[in-house]
Amino acid sequence: MNVGVVIVAAVVLLLVYPLGGDDGDAPATDLAGPAASPAPSPSPSAPPPATPESARQARANELGMIPVLMYHRILKKRLASIDRTPDQLRHELERLARSGYVPITAAEFAEGAIDVPAGAHPVVLTFDDGHPSHFALGSDGRPKPGTAVRIIFDVAEKFPGFRPVATFWINRDPFGLRDHARQAAAVQWLVAHGFEVGNHTHSHPDLHRLTAKKVSEAIVRQQRLLDSLGAPRTPTFALPYGSRPKKRSGAREGKWDGTKYDFDAVFLAGAQPAISPYAKDYDPYNIPRIQSNGKKGECRKWCSEYWLGWLDKHPGRRYTSDGDLTHVSMPRRFQGKIQAKLRGVAIAY
């Protein structure tokens, strides 16, 4: 994304359309780092620009927290604590839909392209490893019942405001397929239907245990596979096990055997809501995710049931959209948290 072009577009809109109680403290976070790209320029069909009054009516807070949910296998009988059943996934997605959440991809989050209606909340659904339970097509050409993709579409059909998109970070043999042509067909089907398919390394190693060269090799081998399958390059990367390389920059950029990679955002494996990409404390290379799970053991304060409940109880700390991609709206008490380069498109009410 060209940051300069985006800012110019937003400022032009401001010239054409001049601008006319905290719910609790969030748990401490150690995230800090580089600033993100600002919101993109609007599409021709974009709604009217936000105003202080419309932002107030929507209770907009685009510096609020965004849940990035992390899923692994979706199994009728769970074999590990991080597995979820189809019913558990469906129940969680329906809960999100009823609470006004609208899915966006990890790439859209990282690019600041959070295009959800006024008053709605973005959520990022992420699935690791490319397990067969995530996606498979039936003989009718539709995603098979019980797979993650089919459940997402089922929930979107029941709740029309629930956008059916997600991010799949895959390894070799995506979705359990060994045949290259079938792998390509699966990946291209997902991309054609708005899903993001990205890099989770070729063999899912613990990157912290590898040399810098081996880290780059693990990422490049998977990038070459994705390229060969017809997956467009995405700006995001998910760390296997959430484990950072010893040389942390190796997770976002590097080169092996003549092939380079360069990611704009690196996602971890836990364990709290993410900071808005418009906030000055946003760190694109350390984006936390929330494991989908109940409230037992360590999950009492770190998994999705806890955090979704916390956000429901503290709506003033949750990201709520103003419905306008060209402005960043927030209650006046949060205006000091916006990135300096976005102050010209800020609406504080």
Side-chain angles (χ1 to χ4, degrees), residues 27 39 52 62 70 81 91 106 129 147 201 208 248 258 292 332 341:
E62 297 185 320
M70 178 181 67
S81 62
H91 175 78
D129 310 335
T147 62
T201 74
H208 191 72
R248 293 196 175 185
S292 175
R332 192 168 298 279
K341 63 186 177 184

Side-chain angles (χ1 to χ4, degrees), residues 207-235:
L207 297 182
H208 191 72
R209 297 176 178 270
L210 302 184
T211 65
K213 182 178 180 180
K214 287 294 184 180
V215 168
S216 295
E217 179 182 353
I219 296 171
V220 166
R221 283 191 182 277
Q222 186 62 10
Q223 193 58 59
R224 288 178 175 175
L225 174 61
L226 288 164
D227 291 345
S228 74
L229 297 177
R233 293 269 179 129
T234 77

Side-chain angles (χ1 to χ4, degrees), residues 10 43 50 53 64 97 112 142 157 174 192 279 293 296 299 301 309 316-317 321 340:
S43 66
E53 181 57 29
R142 300 182 64 198
E157 184 175 353
N293 219 318
K296 294 181 179 180
C299 279
K301 291 195 68 173
R317 301 307 300 271
S321 175

